[in-house]
Amino acid sequence: GGNQFGGTLFYFRRDGKVDAKRPLSSSESQLKQNQYGATVGGAIVKDKLFYFASVERFDKNDANNVTIDSGTAATILQRTGFKVSQGLVPFVENVTTGIVKLDWAQSDTSRWSGRFTWAKEYNENQLEWGGLTDRSAGGARRIEDRSASLSHLWNASARFVNDFRLLWSLRDHELISLDDTKGPYVEILGAATFGTQRFLPQVRTEKTYQLSDTGSIFFDKVTLKLGVDLMRTNIEGALPLNFSGIYRFQAIPGFSNGIA
């Protein structure tokens, strides 16, 4: 932080139209990527209290190429009630982050700093799919992070400095299935894989608390540091395994040429 007001803006774009064509696909890339953000900072009270804030956003739209045979395997599966994808199938990925920071110059020897950060992420290609694996067999990741910290730097004298820090953070982490029907997981060797992945969903919450305090004593030729660092992390998670079954088949004779 400083007395002078200032800030920045940025924007970045990438378009798949200028990319090379993908293997096994005659279509051009579906990628659309946008990344943008801003920062701002200045003084609330001149020479005493300062602020800084930053926000950033990442957006990505892309597609995976599903090559399940549209003339045979897909047709047979759809006749039996299963729906699978063919061709370029879209997915999204996005991340938003933000930070707010305050600095207080209490005196020439004492300075406080507080910070809050927040981030949210979603990715539909976390458990990758494509080729002979349908979108329904893939998995998405959803994360939200929050953290707050407080620190104090005390220059008691030319020979002694004390650094105190306090931290709290919370993370909600979830892996979810892309199968809207929540149907069984089916794998047919050499033909198709589709349905709810057996280890999804996964839900986890992490809470972290940390306290540290370090004192530094400076002598002519020696520096002595003494301190304490305490950290506790609580993790709670669940793996429901609420799936409708798993069915795995070897290559089925006649399946690839349309004979049921």
Side-chain angles (χ1 to χ4, degrees):
N3 288 321
Q4 185 176 356
F5 173 81
T8 62
L9 290 171
F10 77 90
Y11 175 76
F12 170 82
R13 177 176 174 83
R14 179 181 172 188
D15 198 307
K17 291 181 179 180
V18 299
D19 290 348
K21 290 185 178 180
R22 300 184 174 203
L24 305 179
S25 175
S26 59
S27 303
E28 64 183 19
S29 172
Q30 303 297 301
L31 175 66
K32 297 289 186 298
Q33 180 178 320
N34 294 282
Q35 193 169 354
Y36 47 92
T39 66
V40 64
I44 299 175
V45 179
K46 186 177 180 180
D47 296 327
K48 284 292 185 180
L49 185 60
F50 312 96
Y51 70 92
F52 176 81
S54 174
V55 64
E56 182 175 342
R57 173 75 175 184
F58 172 86
D59 277 310
K60 177 180 176 181
N61 291 273
D62 204 349
N64 286 334
N65 190 26
V66 179
T67 57
I68 297 174
D69 188 351
S70 60
T72 56
T75 300
I76 294 172
L77 291 171
Q78 289 171 0
R79 286 177 181 175
T80 56
F82 297 105
K83 293 182 180 180
V84 294
S85 309
Q86 298 99 38
L88 292 176
V89 183
F91 68 86
V92 299
E93 179 182 350
N94 54 68
V95 182
T96 305
T97 58
I99 178 175
V100 176
K101 188 171 183 288
L102 294 175
D103 290 291
W104 178 35
Q106 183 181 14
S107 66
D108 292 338
T109 60
S110 176
R111 187 179 184 93
W112 293 85
S113 180
R115 181 179 64 188
F116 177 78
T117 62
W118 174 84
K120 194 169 185 178
E121 173 185 345
Y122 181 68
N123 182 359
E124 289 185 337
N125 199 37
Q126 176 62 28
L127 183 60
E128 294 184 354
W129 47 277
L132 295 179
T133 302
D134 183 54
R135 171 187 164 92
S136 62
R141 179 178 66 185
R142 185 158 42 214
I143 296 177
E144 185 172 5
D145 287 307
R146 286 86 77 195
S147 70
S149 65
L150 178 68
S151 63
H152 178 238
L153 188 64
W154 179 38
N155 297 318
S157 68
R159 290 184 176 273
F160 180 77
V161 176
N162 190 79
D163 187 3
F164 170 80
R165 298 175 183 269
L166 190 64
L167 169 72
W168 166 87
S169 68
L170 173 64
R171 162 170 281 201
D172 292 319
H173 183 282
E174 187 177 12
L175 296 176
I176 57 177
S177 172
L178 293 175
D179 185 9
D180 296 331
T181 68
K182 301 298 183 287
Y185 179 85
V186 180
E187 180 181 356
I188 305 172
L189 188 63
T193 299
F194 58 93
T196 304
Q197 215 277 344
R198 64 173 297 189
F199 292 114
L200 300 180
Q202 295 181 31
V203 182
R204 186 170 72 246
T205 299
E206 299 178 22
K207 295 180 182 179
T208 300
Y209 310 88
Q210 184 176 13
L211 182 150
S212 68
D213 189 69
T214 303
S216 301
I217 305 174
F218 304 94
F219 300 98
D220 292 338
K221 295 183 179 181
V222 178
T223 299
L224 177 63
K225 284 190 175 184
L226 298 172
V228 61
D229 190 345
L230 302 174
M231 184 173 70
R232 177 180 175 84
T233 300
N234 296 328
I235 300 177
E236 296 180 358
L239 184 60
L241 292 179
N242 293 330
F243 58 93
S244 301
I246 300 174
Y247 301 89
R248 289 191 171 97
F249 303 91
Q250 297 295 322
I252 301 176
F255 194 91
S256 59
N257 59 18
I259 301 175

